[in-house]
Amino acid sequence: MKWLGAILVLIAATWVGFELSRKLQQRPKQIRQLISSLQVMEAEILYSQTSIIETSENLAKQVPHPAASFFRSLSDKLQLHPAGLYDCWEETTEAWIGTTALKPAEKDVWLQFGRTLGQHDFEQQQKHIQLARTHLERELEESEEASQRYGKMIRNLGFLTGLLIVLLLI
């Protein structure tokens, strides 16, 4: 019975390490999704001149999860309250960010971009989109470096922590 408990503790700690490592690896993917969403948004708004509601609906169909869920939720909120774009953007971001591996830095960039959305002419809007992309690309570089540096270490640390707990309990 003691050995069964030891094996379960080891498996649980190893699983926690792998889960934390997976979350660390998902962050760069999700930042790339935001960057590609901004590129599609730029094309939709500036060149096709579609409304933000239509753009959100199109993005929800084009980008993968979890970014798609953000735009789907934003589109739904904007259809109910079309006048409050930033309020809908902020509310959707606050509810959505917890379901992602994104950090507060990406959240701040995303909220700052949402604050400028629809406030300027096409040329200024394009500059704000490019600025947000630049900030996200910087965060992407940092997250890829962290993922490479700490991913394997976190997995190993989970296993070793489980092993330490087992040794202390035996």
Side-chain angles (χ1 to χ4, degrees):
M1 196 61 144
K2 194 184 234 186
W3 288 105
L4 181 61
I7 290 171
L8 289 175
V9 167
L10 186 62
I11 289 172
T14 303
W15 178 77
V16 168
F18 273 84
E19 191 63 28
L20 290 173
S21 176
R22 184 185 63 80
K23 197 164 192 172
L24 193 64
Q25 291 172 346
Q26 284 182 339
R27 185 172 168 232
K29 292 176 187 175
Q30 292 174 359
I31 294 172
R32 278 189 212 95
Q33 288 177 2
L34 294 181
I35 292 170
S36 67
S37 297
L38 288 174
Q39 291 169 332
V40 172
M41 190 179 287
E42 180 179 20
E44 292 269 334
I45 292 173
L46 300 178
Y47 304 115
S48 301
Q49 297 185 359
T50 57
S51 71
I52 190 65
I53 296 174
E54 290 177 57
T55 301
S56 296
E57 289 172 358
N58 293 339
L59 280 166
K61 295 173 188 171
Q62 292 178 14
V63 296
H65 180 77
S69 62
F70 171 80
F71 289 108
R72 190 171 299 108
S73 179
L74 179 65
S75 174
D76 294 343
K77 286 182 183 177
L78 285 173
Q79 288 176 0
L80 296 174
H81 310 287
L85 174 59
Y86 179 68
D87 293 334
C88 292
W89 187 277
E90 183 179 30
E91 185 180 321
T92 304
T93 300
E94 293 294 336
W96 169 76
I97 204 79
T99 65
T100 67
L102 299 172
K103 301 284 184 188
E106 291 91 22
K107 176 185 171 187
D108 292 342
V109 170
W110 200 243
L111 286 173
Q112 184 179 9
F113 169 70
R115 195 171 290 120
T116 65
L117 193 59
Q119 301 294 318
H120 304 283
D121 63 2
F122 289 130
E123 185 177 309
Q124 289 297 321
Q125 190 65 61
Q126 186 175 27
K127 288 180 183 178
H128 285 288
I129 290 171
Q130 290 172 355
L131 179 65
R133 279 184 21 207
T134 302
H135 286 301
L136 287 174
E137 286 168 356
R138 181 177 36 87
E139 293 298 327
L140 176 62
E141 290 173 14
E142 291 174 12
S143 69
E144 286 174 337
E145 183 180 314
S147 178
Q148 289 174 354
R149 181 179 293 164
Y150 301 118
K152 189 174 181 181
M153 182 185 70
I154 289 174
R155 285 191 302 270
N156 291 336
L157 193 59
F159 173 75
L160 292 173
T161 302
L163 192 59
L164 176 66
I165 293 171
V166 167
L167 290 175
L168 290 174
L169 292 176
I170 290 182

